[in-house]
Amino acid sequence: MNYQEKVSTRADVRALYERVIANPAIACYRGYTETKSYGWDVAVDDVIKREGEHWFENPSYDADYVPEGTPTHESAELLDEQLEERDRRIRDLDAERGELCALIDALNEQIAEREHKAEALEHERDDARAALSSLREAFGVIRRWLSAE
């Protein structure tokens, strides 16, 4: 793991170095500004400055270091059980989602059928109104004809 942090003073660089050497999981580090990288030289007890992005090695880096709280073999088994439980839950939720999608599709079909029936009934109603209107008109003609005699 690499670590970097913005710095602005020698004290910042020294504090960064102290934090880095306290963590053997950090392989390389750098303090940085917009254009330079900074590290700490213990031999001269002063800042090392490089142009651009430059990484400095952590003298306390240990590739085999296992940070506290990292899963052990026993906790890895527990994690496996948790992963299996999550996978089972995902499968269950996926199945439930599938059922809900099928239900939605069935309900959409019913809605479409009922809309079609409603449209057909509206056409029947409109036809019936037109027939009634024609009858009223015919009755009006008959009444005028009977009244004229």
Side-chain angles (χ1 to χ4, degrees):
M1 161 175 82
N2 290 342
Y3 180 76
Q4 64 181 349
E5 182 177 299
K6 193 165 193 165
V7 294
S8 56
T9 66
R10 290 183 190 281
D12 290 345
V13 176
R14 177 63 190 238
L16 169 62
Y17 177 76
E18 295 296 329
R19 282 192 300 280
V20 167
I21 63 171
N23 186 347
I26 297 174
C28 296
Y29 73 98
R30 72 184 275 259
Y32 67 93
T33 60
E34 285 186 28
T35 59
K36 294 181 176 45
S37 294
Y38 299 89
W40 191 259
D41 187 342
V42 177
V44 293
D45 198 33
D46 201 7
V47 170
I48 306 167
K49 180 176 19 173
R50 301 280 188 268
E51 291 295 322
E53 183 176 322
H54 180 84
W55 292 89
F56 301 91
E57 291 185 17
N58 177 4
S60 68
Y61 174 66
D62 179 2
D64 296 325
Y65 176 72
V66 178
E68 190 174 314
T70 300
T72 61
H73 178 65
E74 292 142 9
S75 64
E77 288 177 6
L78 179 60
L79 289 175
D80 286 344
E81 290 174 14
Q82 290 174 347
L83 287 173
E84 287 174 13
E85 175 60 25
R86 286 187 183 149
D87 286 344
R88 184 197 59 75
R89 181 74 177 129
I90 289 169
R91 284 190 304 273
D92 291 348
L93 289 171
D94 193 44
E96 186 177 343
R97 181 186 57 82
E99 291 171 5
L100 289 172
C101 286
L103 177 61
I104 288 169
D105 290 343
L107 291 172
N108 280 333
E109 286 178 21
Q110 288 180 8
I111 289 170
E113 288 174 14
R114 292 196 170 115
E115 286 174 338
H116 182 71
K117 284 182 183 178
E119 189 176 306
L121 289 172
E122 286 174 2
H123 286 302
E124 282 184 40
R125 181 201 61 207
D126 292 346
D127 291 345
R129 282 186 176 161
L132 286 173
S133 179
S134 295
L135 278 173
R136 285 192 186 108
E137 191 176 312
F139 288 150
V141 168
I142 292 170
R143 179 176 285 256
R144 283 189 301 276
W145 184 69
L146 289 176
S147 297
E149 290 185 1

